[in-house]
Amino acid sequence: MNFCSDNVTGVAPEIMAALAAANAGAAMGYGNDDITRRVEKLVSDLFETETAVFPVATGTAANALALSVMAPSYGAIYCHELAHINVDECGAPELFTGGAKLIDLPGANGKLDAALLLDELAKGTQGNVHNAQPAAVSLTQATECGTVYKADEICEISELAHKHKLRVHMDGTRFANAVTGLGCSPAEISWRAGVDVLSLGGTKNGAMAAEAIIFFDRALSASFGYHRKRGGHLFSKMRFVSAQLEALLKDGLWLKHAAHSNEMARRLADGIARLPGIRILNPVEANLFYVRMPEVALAGLEADGFKFYREGGPETIRIVTAFNTDPAHVDAFIASASRHAAAARSSAA
Amino acid sequence: MNFCSDNVTGVAPEIMAALAAANAGAAMGYGNDDITRRVEKLVSDLFETETAVFPVATGTAANALALSVMAPSYGAIYCHELAHINVDECGAPELFTGGAKLIDLPGANGKLDAALLLDELAKGTQGNVHNAQPAAVSLTQATECGTVYKADEICEISELAHKHKLRVHMDGTRFANAVTGLGCSPAEISWRAGVDVLSLGGTKNGAMAAEAIIFFDRALSASFGYHRKRGGHLFSKMRFVSAQLEALLKDGLWLKHAAHSNEMARRLADGIARLPGIRILNPVEANLFYVRMPEVALAGLEADGFKFYREGGPETIRIVTAFNTDPAHVDAFIASASRHAAAARSSAA
Amino acid sequence: MNFCSDNVTGVAPEIMAALAAANAGAAMGYGNDDITRRVEKLVSDLFETETAVFPVATGTAANALALSVMAPSYGAIYCHELAHINVDECGAPELFTGGAKLIDLPGANGKLDAALLLDELAKGTQGNVHNAQPAAVSLTQATECGTVYKADEICEISELAHKHKLRVHMDGTRFANAVTGLGCSPAEISWRAGVDVLSLGGTKNGAMAAEAIIFFDRALSASFGYHRKRGGHLFSKMRFVSAQLEALLKDGLWLKHAAHSNEMARRLADGIARLPGIRILNPVEANLFYVRMPEVALAGLEADGFKFYREGGPETIRIVTAFNTDPAHVDAFIASASRHAAAARSSAA
Amino acid sequence: MNFCSDNVTGVAPEIMAALAAANAGAAMGYGNDDITRRVEKLVSDLFETETAVFPVATGTAANALALSVMAPSYGAIYCHELAHINVDECGAPELFTGGAKLIDLPGANGKLDAALLLDELAKGTQGNVHNAQPAAVSLTQATECGTVYKADEICEISELAHKHKLRVHMDGTRFANAVTGLGCSPAEISWRAGVDVLSLGGTKNGAMAAEAIIFFDRALSASFGYHRKRGGHLFSKMRFVSAQLEALLKDGLWLKHAAHSNEMARRLADGIARLPGIRILNPVEANLFYVRMPEVALAGLEADGFKFYREGGPETIRIVTAFNTDPAHVDAFIASASRHAAAARSSAA
């Protein structure tokens, strides 16, 4: 009963089957194979526009490599202070960009605040040789708080960015959860909302290790292949990364997975929201949320065998559900929380 | 009938089975799982010494990340001019070391020449602030020419290196082929011969995407985890990389695979070595070799459906066999080559 | 009548004389000269401890090169949000460290707040492979707001830093102004207060282009020479950089210069502090300060020929005095400001 | 009597005078001053074309910064194996380009061999994601052997380079010596011969610390200012670097200096060329050359107080003359060499 992360799960059976199917005969390496070709076509179809698509195997690579062609070494990249690229990648964006500077901004519920971004862009650093040069904005969709940007929120930021000649990157580790949560098309919250490059997650959505960097601005991808190769992220047996993406993206498996994990988060949150002493800290719009509850309740849950990360403040934990979260585990969590929360109140009274 | 590379093959069934077996239940991410622990133990047992082991998914990552902790940004790394790190990684070692300089040296049959290395080290650059500082030597075992360093050849170079305070790296993409070819123990041609860090290949030996960076000098690995993470090479679902390594390394599968591919290379080389106009360019000691033959013979082979890379000079091709090369394909190649070589001689006469 | 910066001034006559004197005969290049030797001795004497000293020519080089040996590429460097390294060096620390991350913190009057630093260090990122690793703290003395850290304020931060195994860097572009302002010894606010490496400024204190990186922790400097060279900061005719430092540091010229510039700032601030509508925004403890006054007064000063930078907020300017600021210019500024401030009040009434 | 290098000399009196003259009043920093404007004009006039000009203070900075905008991080830069950028800059080009790869080629007399360059470019690495991408060629004029490329030799290489879409850089540390030696115009052996960017040396030609990066392809310089700043090479009191360049370049001082140093080299070489056992190793076309002579003669010269570097092989030294080499020192060298060479022959007989 592990709610630590959507990466503690295994791999969906459809994806295991796709890997087995891909393992037939020889295929040229490094992406010169049929499956990779099909994924490229599939992505363009799904997003209703021509794209350039590059499979990689980790989210950190997907983000940092995308940024490597969006900001020069002397560039500045604006992001939320909780963004994965800012906090959880041990400096990968700095490595792959050759030293670009991340400028992190606060913002409620894990979302970039357009007004604060405008303040930064109004500082007059553009063209000033002493300052890192504004180059890109990176949004996380769904956010690290489990909230989701609506299309017009993305538009507001991307218009601001483009007006100042910045590129717009989206860390879409949980992009499927956002699409499902909003009930929109992939295009609506990506290129139609001004996103230039999307790092589309697969690993946390049931794949083994597969992400896709999708360029809506294809000119930006001209040198991408070199960056991917010298980063050690060009797989020789690429077909096995591509096969995972194909299995996810065709026939809607990615959205089915996301719908399930979103539903499980919703169910868990709803089940504990009104318990005494418990507070859900963010709107639950995707498959993760933060919740505060008394220490004794947290300890009780842990004693009952539930796993989660304590983070986000005192008596606060992060709950993440996944494509294969068992509803029975969710219900067991609710029951355990109910019991411990009640006990906590009694002892406090 | 593809002899282009040992990475055009698929994945061995034992490894597919291991992936399926690993896909049971949840497991903590980023290497905090049982399979990764077992791989660490397995490697230390196989190499008969305590090691620090880090799984990654590509050979370029395995080499460049190893070097990232073996040479400072102002360092020099000596290697053969044909070394993969020098020619085929689009600058990955330079990226991960922060700009270290590869100094490439010629040498017969793809092997570093100890005398030439000594000449370089005798130039007096050590301690001279104007020069990149000698930091490491990298050997490729088996070499890019398909030859194999004997233990005493490695010792000669590593003694020279250590005497000058350089570290010794081994690119062991085809290390299994070398162990099998020599009939020695893994230890004999690694740490017992002075190797400090080994990038052990799995992908070309039947895995999907799995390599291991093995530190015999464990102190060197202290900061390695940070470099791997910021390189985007720390897999969240690490167990699936580790499971491949485990399947390969336990019960001798890696050596069985290597023995087969070596045997297929031997068989093919023996079958064509005495054909008119054909010349094997290197001793055949592992699973690849270069061969020169008349253009019409090459064209004939291609017309018969054989694939290989034309490289290494005029009328020259590289032949690579793999863990699952079909002996019938080898025999077909020999038959086709015999026919075309004979025809070439006739038309020349 | 230019109050834009202490780098719009020329060079002190004593320093021009030292350059002329240094221009006698041949001398070995790259710091292998007598003057450089004497500067090393002089610095150790002045700071009452053994040091390792490296002359360079710009403040950005002095800071970024110092940091290059204080933080690894995966490291984090804590600094004030207004720090020169954070705002005004176009990513130089990122370049020279290979991509380390600057984590900037707010703090009153340009000073790092020890409590906020502790909060950061308590986040538990040390040893967590996902996070940039805490490596160094950088203080600016005097600060970018013209305030000065007292010895015990520095101690508080350096104790915190050392307790967490971080190194302490001091950007001492205006270190002389701080020493003079506090009336302390150089040692008291550097190594005795826990500073490991000091970037000591000369250029803004009357030199042409001369700074010194001073290692109190000499072991840290082992590889510094290589970083300086590959940064292009090892001067072939080094004696001419060293001669500037020698002229400044011997016979107290550096402190005489600083005393004058501090006095001029004090005089200017005192002269305008009580004018209507004018507010000095920081304690005036060195040779620069920020002041707010009505737009018409600012425009009036500009019309009268005074130059300064508009920065730090609306109707706000930065005033910087220098080693050779003419008291008559200061008095003229006060007179002009008085006239325009009075006029502004009249028109507002 | 120091023949070690043209950087062991001091500074020409005209340049000291220019520095004194520049030290009048305040001037805006960072190149926003009148002298820097005049240098830009002067360079364009001298080279008979519009240029973009950036002063810096060291030759390593001039080379590495120029290359930083001529090659991407995944690029390859071709140069002679003896090139300063390859051997003597401790990896500065690698630092400033973010890890580009220098591919060094042999060639007689320190000159790149166009046929060998063509061989490299014909290898088919362009567009191949596994290889560093050919980006630039760097020529050294005059070469590290003291020879000089004729205009048509430069043309041959730059045509080859441009045909393959590579940029052409010239390390012109001793460009003045080449211009003087050839008796040509600066344009003839720079942009008219296909050079895109020239690193023009001043320091070794009588300046204190002044070089100019000259872009004939001005579009290439768009981001140069940022690279210079983040490299710590934007001087706040820039006028003092520019003043040196102005003094050198106006009224032909740079060529007068070069003519003298070339003449001194010629005189010295002529004086010893026919001595027994002595062999001048390269054509003497600028202000340095290599010479081989018996060890006893070398020891004798050293005992007589002559300084030079022993390098380039056994019993081999490098002789460098400078703008202010005293003819009496040259004649004394000849006399000493004659005496010792004769003695060497006697004792050998």
Side-chain angles (χ1 to χ4, degrees):
Chain A
M1 296 183 296
N2 191 319
F3 295 93
C4 287
S5 176
D6 31 9
N7 62 34
V8 300
T9 65
V11 179
E14 294 88 342
I15 288 171
M16 293 304 287
L19 288 171
N23 193 22
M28 294 308 285
Y30 304 111
N32 300 311
D33 64 86
D34 295 341
I35 304 178
T36 303
R37 285 299 83 67
R38 294 200 304 259
V39 167
E40 291 165 348
K41 175 78 171 55
L42 191 51
V43 167
S44 293
D45 289 349
L46 267 175
F47 281 87
E48 307 168 57
T49 187
E50 288 299 304
T51 62
V53 181
F54 296 83
V56 296
T58 71
T60 295
N63 285 331
L65 282 170
L67 293 171
S68 77
V69 296
M70 301 181 76
S73 58
Y74 53 85
I77 299 165
Y78 299 89
C79 64
H80 191 275
E81 61 187 3
L82 296 176
H84 203 263
I85 58 171
N86 190 46
V87 180
D88 292 309
E89 301 187 349
C90 199
E94 288 84 351
L95 171 64
F96 286 101
T97 58
K101 190 174 185 62
L102 269 60
I103 297 185
D104 59 335
L105 302 172
N109 289 317
K111 291 187 192 177
L112 260 186
D113 181 324
L116 293 180
L117 176 59
L118 180 56
D119 285 352
E120 283 294 320
L121 295 176
K123 279 184 176 171
T125 56
Q126 277 176 312
N128 183 335
V129 79
H130 300 282
N131 306 128
Q133 291 300 296
V137 174
S138 182
L139 299 169
T140 308
Q141 174 78 317
T143 73
E144 299 293 335
C145 296
T147 55
V148 170
Y149 286 96
K150 292 190 189 62
D152 60 349
E153 291 175 314
I154 301 169
C155 283
E156 185 184 9
I157 284 167
S158 61
E159 276 170 22
L160 190 56
H162 290 154
K163 194 174 139 192
H164 288 81
K165 304 210 157 82
L166 277 68
R167 301 290 189 176
V168 179
H169 170 253
M170 180 170 276
D171 173 353
T173 300
R174 299 186 178 96
F175 184 78
N177 301 87
V179 169
T180 309
L182 291 170
C184 66
S185 75
E188 278 176 80
I189 55 169
S190 59
W191 65 277
R192 284 212 177 102
V195 173
D196 297 305
V197 184
L198 170 67
S199 299
L200 176 65
T203 310
K204 287 178 172 163
N205 198 22
M208 183 180 281
E211 318 274 317
I213 297 145
I214 303 174
F215 287 86
F216 303 112
D217 179 342
R218 288 183 292 164
L220 259 179
S221 72
S223 67
F224 186 84
Y226 305 112
H227 286 280
R228 181 173 59 170
K229 171 64 192 180
R230 79 194 294 255
H233 291 289
L234 178 62
F235 277 53
S236 57
K237 299 184 181 175
M238 176 77 88
R239 54 174 153 163
F240 295 102
V241 181
S242 298
Q244 299 176 57
L245 293 171
E246 186 179 38
L248 264 183
L249 294 177
K250 80 172 178 198
D251 305 330
L253 184 65
W254 68 313
L255 299 179
K256 187 182 137 196
H257 281 177
H260 178 78
S261 57
N262 284 8
E263 189 194 328
M264 290 299 101
R266 182 79 264 155
R267 179 174 180 147
L268 204 161
D270 286 349
I272 63 172
R274 270 176 290 271
L275 295 177
I278 288 188
R279 193 155 72 85
I280 309 291
L281 301 180
N282 302 110
V284 179
E285 299 172 348
N287 67 320
L288 75 83
F289 59 92
Y290 284 85
V291 56
R292 187 171 300 157
M293 62 178 85
E295 175 55 34
V296 290
L298 293 176
L301 281 160
E302 286 169 341
D304 288 348
F306 295 98
K307 288 188 172 173
F308 38 74
Y309 285 130
R310 288 168 173 265
E311 63 174 57
E315 302 195 325
T316 301
I317 63 173
R318 189 182 75 158
I319 293 291
V320 193
T321 54
F323 79 99
N324 63 354
T325 294
D326 187 339
H329 288 189
V330 170
D331 295 341
F333 188 103
I334 295 169
S336 171
S338 301
R339 200 166 63 250
H340 294 299
R345 190 165 57 167
S346 305
S347 76
Chain B
M1 296 183 298
N2 192 319
F3 296 92
C4 287
S5 177
D6 31 11
N7 61 34
V8 301
T9 65
V11 179
E14 294 88 341
I15 287 171
M16 292 303 287
L19 289 171
N23 193 22
M28 294 309 285
Y30 304 111
N32 300 312
D33 64 86
D34 294 342
I35 305 178
T36 304
R37 285 298 84 68
R38 293 200 304 258
V39 167
E40 291 164 350
K41 175 77 171 54
L42 192 51
V43 168
S44 292
D45 288 350
L46 268 175
F47 281 86
E48 307 168 58
T49 186
E50 287 300 303
T51 62
V53 181
F54 297 83
V56 296
T58 71
T60 295
N63 285 332
L65 283 170
L67 293 171
S68 76
V69 296
M70 301 179 75
S73 58
Y74 53 86
I77 300 165
Y78 299 89
C79 63
H80 191 275
E81 61 187 1
L82 296 176
H84 203 263
I85 59 169
N86 189 47
V87 179
D88 292 310
E89 301 186 351
C90 199
E94 288 84 352
L95 172 64
F96 286 101
T97 57
K101 192 175 185 63
L102 270 59
I103 298 184
D104 59 333
L105 302 172
N109 290 316
K111 293 187 192 176
L112 262 185
D113 180 324
L116 292 180
L117 176 60
L118 180 56
D119 284 351
E120 283 294 320
L121 295 176
K123 279 183 175 172
T125 57
Q126 277 176 313
N128 183 335
V129 79
H130 301 281
N131 306 129
Q133 291 300 295
V137 174
S138 182
L139 300 169
T140 308
Q141 174 79 316
T143 74
E144 299 293 335
C145 296
T147 54
V148 170
Y149 287 96
K150 290 188 191 65
D152 61 350
E153 291 175 311
I154 301 169
C155 283
E156 184 184 10
I157 284 168
S158 61
E159 276 169 22
L160 191 55
H162 290 154
K163 193 174 140 193
H164 289 81
K165 304 209 157 79
L166 277 68
R167 300 288 188 177
V168 178
H169 171 252
M170 180 169 277
D171 174 353
T173 300
R174 299 186 179 94
F175 184 78
N177 301 88
V179 169
T180 309
L182 292 169
C184 66
S185 74
E188 278 176 81
I189 55 170
S190 58
W191 65 276
R192 284 209 179 104
V195 173
D196 297 304
V197 185
L198 169 67
S199 300
L200 175 66
T203 310
K204 287 178 172 163
N205 198 22
M208 183 181 281
E211 317 275 316
I213 298 145
I214 303 174
F215 288 86
F216 303 111
D217 179 342
R218 288 183 292 163
L220 258 180
S221 72
S223 66
F224 186 84
Y226 304 112
H227 286 280
R228 181 173 59 170
K229 171 65 192 181
R230 79 192 295 253
H233 291 289
L234 178 62
F235 277 54
S236 57
K237 300 185 181 174
M238 176 77 88
R239 54 174 152 163
F240 295 102
V241 181
S242 298
Q244 299 176 58
L245 293 170
E246 186 180 36
L248 264 183
L249 295 177
K250 79 171 180 199
D251 305 330
L253 184 65
W254 68 312
L255 299 179
K256 187 182 136 196
H257 281 178
H260 178 78
S261 57
N262 284 9
E263 189 193 329
M264 290 300 101
R266 181 81 265 152
R267 179 174 181 148
L268 204 160
D270 286 349
I272 64 173
R274 269 175 291 268
L275 294 178
I278 288 188
R279 192 155 72 86
I280 310 290
L281 301 181
N282 303 109
V284 180
E285 299 172 347
N287 67 320
L288 74 83
F289 59 93
Y290 284 85
V291 56
R292 188 171 298 157
M293 61 178 86
E295 174 55 34
V296 290
L298 292 177
L301 281 159
E302 287 169 339
D304 288 349
F306 295 98
K307 289 189 171 171
F308 38 73
Y309 286 129
R310 288 168 171 266
E311 62 173 57
E315 302 194 326
T316 302
I317 62 173
R318 188 182 76 158
I319 294 291
V320 192
T321 54
F323 79 99
N324 63 354
T325 294
D326 186 340
H329 289 188
V330 170
D331 295 341
F333 188 103
I334 295 168
S336 171
S338 301
R339 199 165 64 248
H340 295 299
R345 189 165 57 167
S346 304
S347 76
Chain C
M1 295 183 297
N2 191 319
F3 294 94
C4 286
S5 176
D6 31 10
N7 62 34
V8 301
T9 65
V11 179
E14 294 88 341
I15 288 171
M16 293 303 288
L19 289 171
N23 192 23
M28 293 310 283
Y30 304 111
N32 301 312
D33 64 86
D34 295 342
I35 304 178
T36 303
R37 286 298 85 68
R38 293 200 305 259
V39 167
E40 292 165 347
K41 175 77 171 54
L42 191 51
V43 167
S44 293
D45 289 351
L46 267 174
F47 281 85
E48 307 168 57
T49 187
E50 288 301 304
T51 62
V53 182
F54 296 84
V56 295
T58 71
T60 295
N63 285 332
L65 283 170
L67 293 171
S68 77
V69 295
M70 301 179 76
S73 59
Y74 54 85
I77 300 165
Y78 299 89
C79 63
H80 191 275
E81 61 187 2
L82 296 176
H84 203 264
I85 58 170
N86 189 46
V87 180
D88 293 309
E89 300 187 349
C90 199
E94 287 86 351
L95 171 64
F96 286 101
T97 57
K101 191 174 185 62
L102 269 60
I103 296 184
D104 59 335
L105 301 171
N109 289 316
K111 292 187 191 176
L112 261 186
D113 180 324
L116 293 181
L117 177 60
L118 180 55
D119 285 350
E120 284 293 320
L121 295 176
K123 280 185 176 170
T125 56
Q126 277 175 313
N128 183 335
V129 79
H130 301 281
N131 306 129
Q133 292 300 296
V137 174
S138 181
L139 300 169
T140 308
Q141 174 79 315
T143 74
E144 298 293 334
C145 296
T147 55
V148 170
Y149 287 94
K150 290 188 191 63
D152 59 351
E153 291 175 312
I154 301 169
C155 283
E156 184 184 10
I157 285 167
S158 61
E159 277 168 21
L160 190 55
H162 289 154
K163 193 175 140 191
H164 289 82
K165 302 210 158 82
L166 279 67
R167 300 289 190 176
V168 179
H169 170 252
M170 181 170 275
D171 173 353
T173 301
R174 297 186 179 96
F175 184 78
N177 301 87
V179 170
T180 309
L182 291 169
C184 66
S185 75
E188 278 176 79
I189 55 170
S190 58
W191 65 276
R192 285 210 178 104
V195 174
D196 297 305
V197 185
L198 170 67
S199 298
L200 176 66
T203 310
K204 287 179 171 163
N205 198 22
M208 183 180 281
E211 318 275 316
I213 297 146
I214 303 173
F215 288 85
F216 303 113
D217 179 342
R218 287 183 292 163
L220 259 181
S221 72
S223 66
F224 186 84
Y226 305 112
H227 287 279
R228 181 173 61 170
K229 172 63 192 180
R230 78 192 294 255
H233 291 290
L234 178 62
F235 277 55
S236 57
K237 300 184 180 174
M238 177 76 88
R239 56 174 151 163
F240 295 103
V241 181
S242 298
Q244 298 175 59
L245 292 170
E246 185 179 39
L248 263 182
L249 294 176
K250 80 171 180 201
D251 305 331
L253 185 65
W254 67 314
L255 298 178
K256 186 182 137 196
H257 281 178
H260 177 79
S261 56
N262 284 8
E263 188 193 330
M264 290 299 101
R266 183 79 264 155
R267 179 173 180 149
L268 204 161
D270 287 349
I272 64 172
R274 269 175 293 268
L275 294 178
I278 288 188
R279 193 155 72 85
I280 309 292
L281 300 181
N282 302 110
V284 181
E285 298 172 349
N287 67 319
L288 74 84
F289 60 91
Y290 283 84
V291 56
R292 187 170 299 157
M293 62 177 86
E295 174 55 34
V296 291
L298 292 176
L301 280 159
E302 286 169 341
D304 288 350
F306 295 99
K307 289 189 172 170
F308 39 74
Y309 285 129
R310 287 167 173 264
E311 63 173 58
E315 303 196 324
T316 302
I317 62 173
R318 189 182 76 159
I319 293 292
V320 193
T321 54
F323 80 98
N324 63 353
T325 294
D326 186 339
H329 288 188
V330 170
D331 295 341
F333 187 103
I334 295 168
S336 171
S338 302
R339 200 164 64 250
H340 294 299
R345 189 165 55 165
S346 303
S347 74
Chain D
M1 296 184 300
N2 191 319
F3 295 93
C4 287
S5 176
D6 30 10
N7 62 34
V8 301
T9 64
V11 179
E14 294 88 342
I15 287 171
M16 293 302 287
L19 288 171
N23 192 24
M28 293 310 284
Y30 304 111
N32 299 311
D33 64 87
D34 294 342
I35 304 178
T36 303
R37 287 296 85 67
R38 294 200 304 259
V39 167
E40 291 165 348
K41 175 78 171 55
L42 192 51
V43 167
S44 292
D45 289 350
L46 267 175
F47 281 86
E48 307 168 58
T49 188
E50 288 299 303
T51 62
V53 182
F54 296 83
V56 295
T58 72
T60 295
N63 285 333
L65 283 170
L67 293 171
S68 77
V69 295
M70 301 180 75
S73 58
Y74 53 85
I77 300 165
Y78 299 89
C79 64
H80 191 275
E81 61 187 2
L82 296 176
H84 204 263
I85 58 170
N86 190 47
V87 180
D88 292 309
E89 300 186 350
C90 198
E94 288 85 352
L95 171 64
F96 285 103
T97 58
K101 192 174 183 63
L102 269 60
I103 297 184
D104 59 333
L105 303 171
N109 290 317
K111 292 187 192 177
L112 261 186
D113 180 324
L116 293 181
L117 176 60
L118 180 55
D119 285 350
E120 284 293 319
L121 294 176
K123 280 184 176 171
T125 57
Q126 276 175 314
N128 183 335
V129 78
H130 300 282
N131 306 130
Q133 291 301 295
V137 174
S138 182
L139 300 169
T140 308
Q141 174 78 317
T143 74
E144 299 294 335
C145 296
T147 56
V148 169
Y149 287 96
K150 289 188 191 64
D152 60 350
E153 292 175 310
I154 301 169
C155 284
E156 186 184 10
I157 284 167
S158 61
E159 276 169 22
L160 190 55
H162 289 154
K163 193 174 139 192
H164 289 80
K165 304 211 156 79
L166 277 67
R167 301 288 189 177
V168 179
H169 170 252
M170 180 170 276
D171 173 354
T173 301
R174 297 186 180 95
F175 185 77
N177 301 87
V179 170
T180 308
L182 292 169
C184 66
S185 75
E188 278 177 80
I189 55 170
S190 58
W191 65 275
R192 284 209 177 104
V195 173
D196 297 304
V197 185
L198 169 67
S199 299
L200 176 65
T203 310
K204 287 178 172 164
N205 198 22
M208 183 181 281
E211 317 275 316
I213 297 146
I214 303 174
F215 287 85
F216 302 112
D217 179 342
R218 288 182 292 163
L220 259 180
S221 71
S223 66
F224 186 83
Y226 304 112
H227 287 280
R228 180 173 60 170
K229 172 63 193 182
R230 79 193 294 255
H233 291 290
L234 179 62
F235 277 54
S236 57
K237 299 184 181 176
M238 177 77 87
R239 56 174 152 162
F240 294 103
V241 181
S242 298
Q244 298 175 58
L245 292 170
E246 186 179 38
L248 263 183
L249 294 177
K250 80 172 180 199
D251 306 330
L253 184 65
W254 68 313
L255 299 178
K256 187 182 136 195
H257 281 177
H260 178 79
S261 56
N262 284 7
E263 189 194 329
M264 290 299 101
R266 182 79 265 154
R267 179 173 179 149
L268 203 161
D270 286 348
I272 64 173
R274 269 176 291 267
L275 293 177
I278 288 188
R279 192 155 71 86
I280 309 290
L281 300 181
N282 303 110
V284 180
E285 299 171 349
N287 68 319
L288 74 84
F289 60 92
Y290 284 84
V291 56
R292 188 170 300 157
M293 62 177 86
E295 174 55 35
V296 290
L298 292 176
L301 280 160
E302 286 169 340
D304 288 348
F306 296 98
K307 289 188 172 172
F308 38 74
Y309 285 130
R310 288 168 173 265
E311 62 174 57
E315 302 195 326
T316 301
I317 62 173
R318 188 182 77 158
I319 293 291
V320 193
T321 54
F323 79 98
N324 63 353
T325 295
D326 186 340
H329 289 187
V330 170
D331 295 341
F333 187 104
I334 296 168
S336 171
S338 302
R339 199 165 65 248
H340 295 298
R345 189 165 57 167
S346 305
S347 75

